[in-house]
Amino acid sequence: MTELLIELLETFGYHVRLQGSIRIDEQYPDSFFTFWNTDSYDNNHYDNDAASYTWDFEVNFYSTDPDLVDQKVKAARSLLKANGFVISGKGHDVGSDETTHTGRGFRALIMEREVNNNV
């Protein structure tokens, strides 16, 4: 599911990074997405095996352009929803380690069915 999330976010043409992975000596791109898999948990169980899982991601967009932050978060929410993710709410502000950047984020959940289960 992480690969699907990255693939979809990359269609916007910005870097997609794991949250916190920019090195201290690395310059921030002007605009970029980050993500963090906050959890993945079992849903249904059959014959003592999980039949499905929910993946919970935090998705953030940072930019030197505050208007672009709002635009890209809105567009990313729509794209992920159209591709099976559940998005609740309109997002939230996120802090940045760089004074030049502002950020906004949202939670994105998606269900994965276990392919080896006969359910």
XYZ file of all heavy atoms in Angstrom, residues 5-106:
829
model
N 0.525 4.543 -2.520
C 0.479 5.924 -2.039
C 1.549 6.773 -2.717
O 1.266 7.856 -3.244
C 0.653 5.957 -0.521
C 0.673 7.346 0.096
C -0.723 7.957 0.105
C 1.241 7.296 1.502
N 2.771 6.287 -2.742
C 3.880 7.025 -3.366
C 3.612 7.235 -4.856
O 3.787 8.340 -5.374
C 5.217 6.285 -3.148
C 5.593 6.300 -1.665
C 6.329 6.904 -3.992
C 6.748 5.369 -1.313
N 3.201 6.180 -5.527
C 2.919 6.256 -6.968
C 1.881 7.335 -7.276
O 2.043 8.129 -8.207
C 2.436 4.894 -7.447
C 2.079 4.828 -8.910
C 1.544 3.453 -9.278
O 2.209 2.443 -8.944
O 0.460 3.387 -9.886
N 0.820 7.380 -6.493
C -0.225 8.387 -6.718
C 0.288 9.797 -6.439
O 0.056 10.713 -7.232
C -1.450 8.076 -5.851
C -2.226 6.825 -6.249
C -3.247 6.472 -5.176
C -2.896 7.003 -7.607
N 0.988 9.986 -5.329
C 1.490 11.320 -4.991
C 2.529 11.816 -5.999
O 2.605 13.012 -6.287
C 2.067 11.336 -3.577
C 1.055 11.119 -2.447
C 1.784 11.039 -1.100
C -0.006 12.210 -2.436
N 3.317 10.905 -6.555
C 4.337 11.294 -7.544
C 3.722 11.857 -8.821
O 4.401 12.562 -9.564
C 5.252 10.118 -7.866
C 6.270 9.847 -6.784
C 7.171 8.665 -7.089
O 6.767 7.781 -7.893
O 8.268 8.602 -6.509
N 2.448 11.565 -9.084
C 1.818 12.091 -10.304
C 1.726 13.617 -10.281
O 1.525 14.229 -11.329
C 0.402 11.502 -10.520
O -0.461 11.910 -9.460
C 0.448 9.989 -10.628
N 1.877 14.234 -9.116
C 1.857 15.701 -9.024
C 3.186 16.327 -9.443
O 3.267 17.542 -9.613
C 1.508 16.152 -7.604
C 0.078 15.862 -7.226
C -0.231 14.782 -6.430
C -0.957 16.670 -7.690
C -1.549 14.503 -6.087
C -2.267 16.393 -7.353
C -2.571 15.311 -6.551
N 4.219 15.513 -9.598
C 5.505 16.022 -10.058
C 6.412 16.561 -8.957
O 7.407 17.231 -9.249
N 6.108 16.270 -7.703
C 6.934 16.717 -6.576
C 7.632 15.522 -5.941
O 7.194 14.380 -6.092
C 6.065 17.418 -5.515
C 5.388 18.648 -6.017
C 4.045 18.634 -6.380
C 6.081 19.850 -6.154
C 3.410 19.768 -6.855
C 5.458 20.997 -6.634
C 4.123 20.938 -6.983
O 3.503 22.067 -7.457
N 8.709 15.804 -5.208
C 9.373 14.758 -4.438
C 8.383 14.197 -3.427
O 7.566 14.928 -2.870
C 10.575 15.313 -3.664
C 11.681 15.821 -4.536
N 12.611 14.976 -5.102
C 12.011 17.061 -4.922
C 13.468 15.698 -5.808
N 13.121 16.964 -5.724
N 8.476 12.888 -3.178
C 7.689 12.226 -2.140
C 8.691 11.555 -1.214
O 9.450 10.690 -1.643
C 6.706 11.189 -2.725
C 5.937 10.501 -1.612
C 5.757 11.845 -3.723
N 8.705 11.992 0.044
C 9.710 11.518 1.001
C 9.053 10.944 2.240
O 7.986 11.392 2.639
C 10.607 12.690 1.436
C 11.321 13.442 0.330
C 12.481 12.665 -0.228
N 13.486 12.358 0.751
C 14.605 13.059 0.926
N 14.860 14.114 0.171
N 15.477 12.693 1.844
N 9.705 9.996 2.856
C 9.292 9.514 4.160
C 9.461 10.669 5.150
O 10.501 11.360 5.137
C 10.156 8.320 4.570
C 9.831 7.649 5.892
C 8.429 7.035 5.858
C 10.864 6.590 6.210
N 8.455 10.915 5.963
C 8.515 12.020 6.922
C 9.775 11.891 7.770
O 10.084 10.813 8.280
C 7.271 12.004 7.821
C 7.219 13.120 8.841
C 6.934 14.480 8.221
O 6.281 14.584 7.202
N 7.444 15.521 8.842
N 10.524 12.976 7.895
C 11.728 12.990 8.715
C 12.972 12.476 8.031
O 14.015 12.359 8.667
N 12.898 12.170 6.729
C 14.053 11.563 6.061
C 14.985 12.575 5.387
O 16.002 12.180 4.840
C 13.583 10.535 5.021
O 12.901 11.180 3.958
N 14.655 13.857 5.422
C 15.565 14.849 4.852
C 16.712 15.054 5.836
O 16.488 15.385 7.008
C 14.835 16.174 4.544
C 13.766 15.930 3.479
C 15.829 17.244 4.101
C 12.952 17.161 3.116
N 17.918 14.835 5.357
C 19.103 14.961 6.206
C 19.300 16.405 6.643
O 18.896 17.334 5.952
C 20.341 14.462 5.469
C 20.331 12.980 5.157
C 21.644 12.527 4.535
N 22.247 13.482 3.619
C 22.032 13.520 2.291
N 21.240 12.641 1.735
N 22.635 14.414 1.543
N 19.972 16.593 7.742
C 20.202 17.924 8.282
C 21.040 18.785 7.333
O 20.886 19.998 7.278
C 20.846 17.847 9.689
C 20.714 19.171 10.402
C 22.285 17.375 9.610
C 20.907 19.101 11.885
N 21.896 18.143 6.530
C 22.738 18.881 5.587
C 22.112 18.982 4.192
O 22.718 19.500 3.267
C 24.117 18.241 5.489
C 24.079 16.812 4.953
O 23.015 16.173 5.049
O 25.120 16.345 4.445
N 20.893 18.492 4.049
C 20.205 18.488 2.755
C 19.246 19.676 2.686
O 18.520 19.960 3.640
C 19.422 17.180 2.614
C 18.816 16.934 1.274
C 18.111 15.579 1.217
O 18.189 14.789 2.174
O 17.478 15.332 0.187
N 19.243 20.368 1.560
C 18.341 21.498 1.376
C 16.926 21.009 1.069
O 16.739 20.061 0.308
C 18.831 22.384 0.230
C 18.026 23.649 0.072
C 18.653 24.590 -0.954
O 19.757 24.374 -1.425
N 17.934 25.645 -1.272
N 15.945 21.658 1.685
C 14.545 21.314 1.403
C 14.210 21.677 -0.037
O 14.560 22.763 -0.494
C 13.615 22.123 2.308
C 13.292 21.502 3.643
C 14.261 20.854 4.414
C 12.009 21.575 4.148
C 13.940 20.307 5.632
C 11.682 21.033 5.375
C 12.658 20.404 6.113
O 12.337 19.861 7.332
N 13.493 20.807 -0.754
C 12.953 21.228 -2.050
C 11.950 22.358 -1.805
O 11.399 22.476 -0.701
C 12.238 19.974 -2.561
C 12.759 18.839 -1.746
C 13.158 19.416 -0.439
N 11.671 23.173 -2.816
C 10.699 24.262 -2.647
C 9.332 23.720 -2.255
O 8.624 24.329 -1.449
C 10.577 25.094 -3.923
C 11.785 25.992 -4.150
O 12.541 26.239 -3.185
O 11.965 26.449 -5.292
N 8.940 22.587 -2.823
C 7.651 21.961 -2.530
C 7.824 20.449 -2.567
O 8.518 19.927 -3.443
C 6.598 22.367 -3.566
O 6.422 23.763 -3.593
N 7.184 19.739 -1.633
C 7.315 18.288 -1.595
C 6.246 17.669 -0.693
O 5.683 18.325 0.179
C 8.704 17.866 -1.119
C 9.060 18.335 0.261
C 8.932 17.479 1.354
C 9.536 19.623 0.480
C 9.269 17.898 2.622
C 9.872 20.054 1.753
C 9.740 19.190 2.832
N 5.985 16.379 -0.938
C 5.097 15.574 -0.101
C 5.935 14.740 0.853
O 7.038 14.320 0.511
C 4.272 14.592 -0.947
C 3.117 15.210 -1.662
C 3.228 15.548 -3.009
C 1.905 15.435 -1.013
C 2.153 16.104 -3.688
C 0.828 15.990 -1.676
C 0.950 16.328 -3.026
N 5.374 14.476 2.030
C 5.925 13.464 2.921
C 4.794 12.542 3.339
O 3.617 12.882 3.207
C 6.574 14.062 4.186
O 5.571 14.658 5.006
C 7.667 15.062 3.844
N 5.162 11.368 3.821
C 4.168 10.428 4.330
C 4.767 9.672 5.499
O 5.987 9.596 5.666
C 3.719 9.451 3.234
C 4.785 8.473 2.837
C 4.865 7.230 3.444
C 5.730 8.812 1.873
C 5.876 6.339 3.097
C 6.733 7.930 1.526
C 6.805 6.689 2.137
N 3.884 9.122 6.323
C 4.291 8.287 7.438
C 3.205 7.241 7.653
O 2.031 7.586 7.729
C 4.452 9.137 8.698
C 5.039 8.390 9.855
C 4.359 7.894 10.926
C 6.409 8.075 10.061
N 5.229 7.276 11.791
C 6.502 7.378 11.282
C 7.578 8.308 9.321
C 7.707 6.914 11.782
C 8.770 7.849 9.826
C 8.833 7.160 11.045
N 3.577 5.990 7.699
C 2.618 4.922 7.972
C 2.454 4.836 9.491
O 3.266 4.245 10.181
C 3.125 3.607 7.388
C 2.235 2.421 7.688
O 2.720 1.316 7.842
N 0.933 2.618 7.763
N 1.383 5.440 10.005
C 1.178 5.502 11.447
C 0.738 4.173 12.038
O 0.978 3.917 13.218
C 0.156 6.588 11.833
O -1.087 6.295 11.204
C 0.630 7.955 11.397
N 0.096 3.332 11.223
C -0.363 2.041 11.721
C -0.842 1.177 10.565
O -1.165 1.672 9.490
C -1.523 2.244 12.700
C -1.722 1.069 13.658
O -0.996 0.061 13.553
O -2.611 1.173 14.520
N -0.855 -0.114 10.782
C -1.545 -1.061 9.894
C -2.093 -2.139 10.811
O -1.353 -2.739 11.576
C -0.611 -1.638 8.828
O 0.473 -2.298 9.414
N -3.384 -2.323 10.763
C -3.994 -3.231 11.725
C -4.960 -4.195 11.051
O -5.492 -3.928 9.981
C -4.690 -2.458 12.851
C -5.582 -1.331 12.389
C -6.917 -1.560 12.087
C -5.090 -0.037 12.270
C -7.737 -0.524 11.664
C -5.903 0.995 11.855
C -7.230 0.750 11.556
O -8.036 1.777 11.135
N -5.158 -5.336 11.725
C -6.073 -6.368 11.239
C -7.507 -5.871 11.337
O -7.864 -5.155 12.269
C -5.982 -7.635 12.094
C -4.617 -8.286 12.076
O -3.736 -7.807 11.354
O -4.449 -9.275 12.806
N -8.331 -6.327 10.406
C -9.766 -6.060 10.474
C -10.493 -7.358 10.793
O -10.658 -7.708 11.928
C -10.278 -5.461 9.160
C -9.695 -4.087 8.908
O -9.517 -3.309 9.825
N -9.381 -3.789 7.671
N -10.876 -8.096 9.784
C -11.617 -9.340 9.950
C -10.668 -10.522 10.097
O -9.592 -10.530 9.517
C -12.516 -9.588 8.742
C -13.402 -8.416 8.459
O -12.945 -7.432 7.898
N -14.659 -8.504 8.842
N -11.117 -11.511 10.848
C -10.359 -12.746 11.021
C -11.245 -13.940 10.681
O -12.417 -13.974 11.062
C -9.868 -12.886 12.464
C -8.826 -11.886 12.816
N -9.130 -10.617 13.223
C -7.479 -11.974 12.802
C -8.022 -9.956 13.457
N -6.996 -10.755 13.211
N -10.671 -14.897 9.967
C -11.352 -16.142 9.639
C -10.359 -17.273 9.816
O -9.225 -17.180 9.336
C -11.897 -16.126 8.205
C -12.900 -15.012 7.996
C -12.515 -13.806 7.435
C -14.230 -15.166 8.405
C -13.427 -12.778 7.264
C -15.139 -14.136 8.242
C -14.740 -12.947 7.671
O -15.647 -11.932 7.525
N -10.765 -18.311 10.498
C -9.883 -19.455 10.760
C -8.558 -19.018 11.373
O -7.488 -19.468 10.979
C -9.636 -20.263 9.480
C -10.909 -20.891 8.941
O -11.797 -21.227 9.764
O -11.017 -21.033 7.708
N -8.626 -18.085 12.298
C -7.462 -17.577 13.043
C -6.446 -16.840 12.173
O -5.280 -16.709 12.557
C -6.763 -18.701 13.811
C -7.629 -19.247 14.916
O -8.411 -18.510 15.516
N -7.501 -20.534 15.177
N -6.860 -16.367 11.004
C -5.987 -15.576 10.134
C -6.674 -14.261 9.795
O -7.893 -14.213 9.627
C -5.684 -16.313 8.825
C -4.691 -17.430 9.006
O -3.763 -17.264 9.828
O -4.838 -18.468 8.330
N -5.886 -13.215 9.666
C -6.439 -11.929 9.246
C -6.884 -12.016 7.793
O -6.179 -12.569 6.949
C -5.399 -10.825 9.392
N -8.074 -11.502 7.526
C -8.608 -11.504 6.165
C -8.434 -10.154 5.490
O -8.472 -10.054 4.269
C -10.083 -11.891 6.176
N -8.256 -9.108 6.298
C -8.033 -7.786 5.730
C -7.298 -6.912 6.739
O -7.284 -7.193 7.938
C -9.367 -7.133 5.323
O -10.169 -6.895 6.463
N -6.690 -5.871 6.210
C -5.899 -4.945 7.021
C -6.292 -3.524 6.644
O -6.690 -3.263 5.507
C -4.399 -5.107 6.744
C -3.909 -6.515 6.944
C -3.938 -7.425 5.897
C -3.444 -6.928 8.176
C -3.498 -8.726 6.078
C -2.995 -8.226 8.363
C -3.028 -9.123 7.311
O -2.594 -10.416 7.490
N -6.144 -2.615 7.578
C -6.284 -1.192 7.276
C -4.921 -0.539 7.443
O -4.262 -0.703 8.470
C -7.310 -0.510 8.203
O -8.590 -1.075 7.967
C -7.374 0.991 7.936
N -4.511 0.169 6.412
C -3.268 0.939 6.430
C -3.630 2.386 6.725
O -4.503 2.949 6.073
C -2.558 0.848 5.081
C -2.003 -0.506 4.789
C -2.686 -1.598 4.337
C -0.651 -0.912 4.937
N -1.846 -2.654 4.184
C -0.576 -2.263 4.550
C 0.496 -0.257 5.355
C 0.617 -2.974 4.576
C 1.682 -0.970 5.370
C 1.738 -2.315 4.984
N -2.951 2.990 7.678
C -3.216 4.355 8.119
C -1.971 5.200 7.834
O -0.898 4.935 8.386
C -3.535 4.324 9.617
C -3.965 5.663 10.175
O -3.795 6.696 9.506
O -4.464 5.667 11.315
N -2.135 6.182 6.953
C -1.015 7.049 6.573
C -1.286 8.494 6.969
O -2.419 8.959 6.899
C -0.803 7.029 5.050
C -0.323 5.724 4.513
C -1.212 4.827 3.937
C 1.025 5.389 4.556
C -0.780 3.612 3.430
C 1.473 4.179 4.047
C 0.569 3.290 3.478
N -0.240 9.190 7.334
C -0.252 10.640 7.478
C 0.418 11.169 6.209
O 1.539 10.772 5.874
C 0.540 11.070 8.715
C 0.726 12.555 8.862
C -0.538 13.288 9.304
O -1.455 12.665 9.862
O -0.592 14.514 9.081
N -0.270 12.032 5.473
C 0.255 12.617 4.234
C 0.376 14.119 4.448
O -0.568 14.770 4.903
C -0.687 12.326 3.039
C -0.165 12.994 1.769
C -0.851 10.827 2.837
N 1.549 14.665 4.135
C 1.792 16.097 4.311
C 2.354 16.700 3.033
O 3.052 16.029 2.272
C 2.794 16.344 5.447
C 2.337 15.766 6.758
O 1.215 16.012 7.195
N 3.178 14.977 7.391
N 2.059 17.984 2.843
C 2.661 18.723 1.727
C 3.260 19.991 2.305
O 2.612 20.708 3.077
C 1.621 19.079 0.664
C 2.220 19.731 -0.544
C 2.901 18.995 -1.495
C 2.108 21.102 -0.741
C 3.469 19.592 -2.612
C 2.663 21.708 -1.851
C 3.346 20.958 -2.795
N 4.511 20.266 1.947
C 5.235 21.451 2.404
C 5.632 22.278 1.192
O 5.980 21.740 0.144
C 6.518 21.058 3.143
C 6.295 20.274 4.407
C 6.259 18.878 4.393
C 6.128 20.924 5.619
C 6.073 18.151 5.551
C 5.940 20.207 6.796
C 5.919 18.824 6.749
O 5.720 18.112 7.904
N 5.634 23.603 1.365
C 6.047 24.466 0.263
C 6.443 25.844 0.787
O 6.025 26.255 1.871
C 4.905 24.619 -0.754
O 5.309 25.424 -1.839
N 7.219 26.531 -0.033
C 7.525 27.934 0.244
C 6.357 28.829 -0.166
O 6.330 29.996 0.172
C 8.793 28.376 -0.519
O 8.595 28.127 -1.925
C 10.025 27.630 -0.027
N 5.386 28.266 -0.888
C 4.204 28.992 -1.369
C 2.966 28.507 -0.596
O 2.455 27.413 -0.864
C 4.027 28.733 -2.863
C 2.826 29.434 -3.469
O 1.978 29.972 -2.721
O 2.727 29.431 -4.714
N 2.481 29.300 0.370
C 1.328 28.870 1.182
C 0.076 28.566 0.359
O -0.695 27.668 0.730
C 1.083 30.052 2.119
C 2.363 30.816 2.141
C 3.000 30.594 0.799
N -0.150 29.273 -0.737
C -1.312 28.989 -1.581
C -1.193 27.614 -2.225
O -2.185 26.889 -2.366
C -1.488 30.056 -2.667
C -1.894 31.402 -2.097
O -2.557 31.426 -1.033
O -1.546 32.430 -2.704
N 0.011 27.251 -2.629
C 0.249 25.946 -3.239
C -0.009 24.826 -2.230
O -0.528 23.765 -2.603
C 1.687 25.876 -3.769
C 2.029 24.698 -4.668
C 1.167 24.710 -5.925
C 3.506 24.738 -5.033
N 0.313 25.068 -0.969
C 0.061 24.070 0.075
C -1.419 23.704 0.097
O -1.779 22.531 0.047
C 0.525 24.584 1.461
C 0.039 23.661 2.571
C 2.038 24.712 1.501
N -2.283 24.709 0.149
C -3.724 24.445 0.175
C -4.204 23.755 -1.097
O -4.995 22.814 -1.045
C -4.501 25.748 0.389
C -4.318 26.304 1.791
O -4.042 25.524 2.728
O -4.463 27.531 1.961
N -3.708 24.202 -2.249
C -4.131 23.624 -3.529
C -3.730 22.156 -3.647
O -4.536 21.305 -4.055
C -3.511 24.403 -4.688
C -4.003 25.806 -4.850
C -3.136 26.593 -5.835
O -2.306 26.028 -6.558
N -3.306 27.904 -5.850
N -2.496 21.837 -3.316
C -1.998 20.471 -3.506
C -2.583 19.504 -2.482
O -2.829 18.335 -2.811
C -0.469 20.426 -3.488
C 0.150 21.154 -4.660
C -0.391 20.627 -5.986
C -0.024 21.513 -7.144
N -0.697 21.150 -8.379
N -2.833 19.959 -1.269
C -3.464 19.089 -0.282
C -4.880 18.749 -0.729
O -5.301 17.591 -0.669
C -3.445 19.727 1.127
C -4.415 19.031 2.073
C -2.029 19.686 1.689
N -5.596 19.741 -1.231
C -6.953 19.492 -1.734
C -6.915 18.510 -2.909
O -7.706 17.564 -2.969
C -7.595 20.814 -2.157
C -9.017 20.677 -2.612
C -9.623 22.030 -2.964
C -11.049 21.877 -3.427
N -11.652 23.165 -3.786
N -5.995 18.712 -3.830
C -5.883 17.836 -4.998
C -5.452 16.421 -4.591
O -5.957 15.430 -5.127
C -4.900 18.426 -6.009
N -4.534 16.314 -3.649
C -4.063 14.998 -3.199
C -5.184 14.243 -2.488
O -5.346 13.035 -2.698
C -2.854 15.148 -2.275
N -5.968 14.931 -1.682
C -7.108 14.295 -1.025
C -8.064 13.716 -2.069
O -8.504 12.576 -1.956
C -7.856 15.305 -0.140
C -7.113 15.658 1.137
C -7.840 16.729 1.987
N -9.145 16.239 2.410
C -10.321 16.659 1.908
N -10.353 17.598 0.981
N -11.452 16.155 2.367
N -8.357 14.498 -3.098
C -9.269 14.040 -4.159
C -8.706 12.841 -4.907
O -9.425 11.875 -5.181
C -9.555 15.173 -5.148
O -10.265 16.209 -4.524
N -7.431 12.887 -5.263
C -6.806 11.789 -5.993
C -6.807 10.504 -5.169
O -7.140 9.433 -5.684
C -5.371 12.158 -6.388
C -4.585 11.055 -7.103
C -5.200 10.741 -8.457
C -3.123 11.448 -7.235
N -6.439 10.611 -3.911
C -6.399 9.408 -3.078
C -7.801 8.840 -2.868
O -7.990 7.621 -2.929
C -5.720 9.711 -1.741
C -4.225 10.055 -1.820
C -3.659 10.328 -0.440
C -3.432 8.991 -2.535
N -8.791 9.705 -2.654
C -10.176 9.240 -2.525
C -10.619 8.487 -3.777
O -11.242 7.432 -3.692
C -11.127 10.426 -2.308
C -11.270 10.864 -0.900
C -12.254 12.022 -0.835
C -12.951 12.082 0.480
N -13.910 13.188 0.562
N -10.283 9.011 -4.942
C -10.665 8.389 -6.210
C -9.984 7.037 -6.415
O -10.404 6.250 -7.258
C -10.330 9.326 -7.374
N -8.945 6.779 -5.625
C -8.199 5.527 -5.758
C -8.339 4.627 -4.533
O -7.455 3.817 -4.245
C -6.729 5.829 -6.051
C -6.531 6.259 -7.481
O -6.393 5.409 -8.359
N -6.562 7.563 -7.726
N -9.452 4.760 -3.825
C -9.778 3.814 -2.771
C -9.394 4.191 -1.357
O -9.664 3.431 -0.427
N -8.756 5.326 -1.160
C -8.398 5.749 0.190
C -9.597 6.438 0.842
O -10.386 7.090 0.163
C -7.224 6.734 0.160
C -5.892 6.088 -0.119
C -5.498 5.802 -1.414
C -5.030 5.778 0.923
C -4.280 5.212 -1.684
C -3.802 5.191 0.673
C -3.423 4.913 -0.636
N -9.709 6.307 2.139
C -10.727 7.004 2.913
C -10.046 8.200 3.569
O -9.051 8.048 4.284
C -11.344 6.090 3.993
C -12.306 6.869 4.874
C -12.024 4.898 3.344
N -10.576 9.380 3.289
C -10.034 10.615 3.833
C -11.115 11.242 4.695
O -12.232 11.467 4.230
C -9.645 11.620 2.715
C -8.826 10.946 1.609
C -8.952 12.834 3.297
C -7.489 10.441 1.995
N -10.800 11.535 5.939
C -11.770 12.149 6.837
C -11.362 13.598 7.083
O -10.202 13.876 7.410
C -11.814 11.382 8.157
O -12.730 11.974 9.030
N -12.280 14.505 6.897
C -11.993 15.915 7.157
C -11.234 16.582 6.025
O -11.024 16.001 4.957
N -10.831 17.808 6.289
C -10.128 18.606 5.279
C -8.659 18.831 5.613
O -8.000 19.635 4.984
C -10.843 19.942 5.098
C -12.225 19.764 4.492
C -12.775 21.068 4.026
C -14.081 20.829 3.280
N -14.514 22.004 2.584
N -8.173 18.129 6.620
C -6.754 18.210 6.926
C -6.449 19.121 8.097
O -7.334 19.637 8.761
N -5.150 19.303 8.314
C -4.671 20.078 9.456
C -3.311 20.688 9.128
O -2.611 20.230 8.223
C -4.557 19.175 10.691
C -3.751 17.937 10.420
N -4.336 16.753 10.031
C -2.423 17.705 10.448
C -3.400 15.840 9.847
N -2.235 16.401 10.092
N -2.971 21.734 9.859
C -1.664 22.367 9.695
C -0.583 21.467 10.284
O -0.812 20.753 11.267
C -1.628 23.717 10.411
C -2.544 24.743 9.777
O -2.796 24.655 8.558
O -3.016 25.641 10.498
N 0.591 21.492 9.677
C 1.745 20.764 10.211
C 2.934 21.707 10.285
O 3.113 22.580 9.426
C 2.097 19.504 9.371
C 1.039 18.440 9.524
C 2.308 19.827 7.917
N 3.727 21.537 11.310
C 4.905 22.372 11.492
C 6.009 22.004 10.523
O 6.035 20.908 9.961
N 6.900 22.927 10.341
C 8.042 22.714 9.455
C 9.328 23.056 10.195
O 9.346 23.977 11.018
C 7.911 23.600 8.211
O 9.081 23.531 7.429
N 10.384 22.313 9.894
C 11.691 22.607 10.478
C 12.356 23.814 9.811
O 13.365 24.305 10.300
C 12.619 21.401 10.346
C 12.161 20.227 11.192
O 11.453 20.455 12.187
O 12.512 19.085 10.856
N 11.795 24.251 8.695
C 12.351 25.375 7.950
C 11.375 26.554 8.011
O 10.191 26.391 7.714
C 12.594 24.994 6.486
C 13.657 23.944 6.284
C 15.046 24.439 6.637
O 15.352 25.623 6.365
O 15.823 23.651 7.188
N 11.873 27.732 8.365
C 11.004 28.917 8.454
C 10.469 29.341 7.101
O 9.484 30.067 7.027
C 11.755 30.093 9.100
O 12.918 30.394 8.312
C 12.166 29.770 10.530
N 11.077 28.875 6.027
C 10.650 29.234 4.672
C 9.463 28.411 4.182
O 8.854 28.733 3.173
C 11.810 29.018 3.686
O 12.284 27.667 3.814
C 12.944 29.993 3.962
N 9.134 27.341 4.888
C 8.107 26.398 4.441
C 6.920 26.356 5.396
O 7.088 26.437 6.612
C 8.680 24.984 4.334
C 9.617 24.789 3.207
N 10.857 25.385 3.150
C 9.498 24.061 2.071
C 11.460 25.028 2.026
N 10.651 24.215 1.356
N 5.730 26.214 4.816
C 4.537 25.903 5.598
C 4.041 24.547 5.131
O 4.402 24.073 4.045
C 3.423 26.956 5.421
O 3.068 27.045 4.038
C 3.874 28.319 5.925
N 3.201 23.924 5.965
C 2.727 22.594 5.612
C 1.308 22.351 6.056
O 0.776 23.010 6.944
N 0.717 21.385 5.396
C -0.635 20.949 5.727
C -0.690 19.444 5.482
O -0.008 18.924 4.592
C -1.646 21.677 4.858
C -3.072 21.501 5.314
C -3.921 22.711 4.973
N -5.290 22.453 5.361
C -5.764 22.588 6.594
N -4.973 23.019 7.545
N -7.019 22.321 6.877
N -1.482 18.740 6.286
C -1.535 17.296 6.158
C -2.918 16.738 6.396
O -3.840 17.455 6.786
N -3.043 15.427 6.163
C -4.302 14.718 6.384
C -4.009 13.238 6.562
O -2.940 12.756 6.197
C -5.275 14.937 5.214
C -4.758 14.489 3.883
C -4.988 13.203 3.421
C -4.036 15.357 3.070
C -4.510 12.787 2.183
C -3.556 14.954 1.835
C -3.794 13.666 1.386
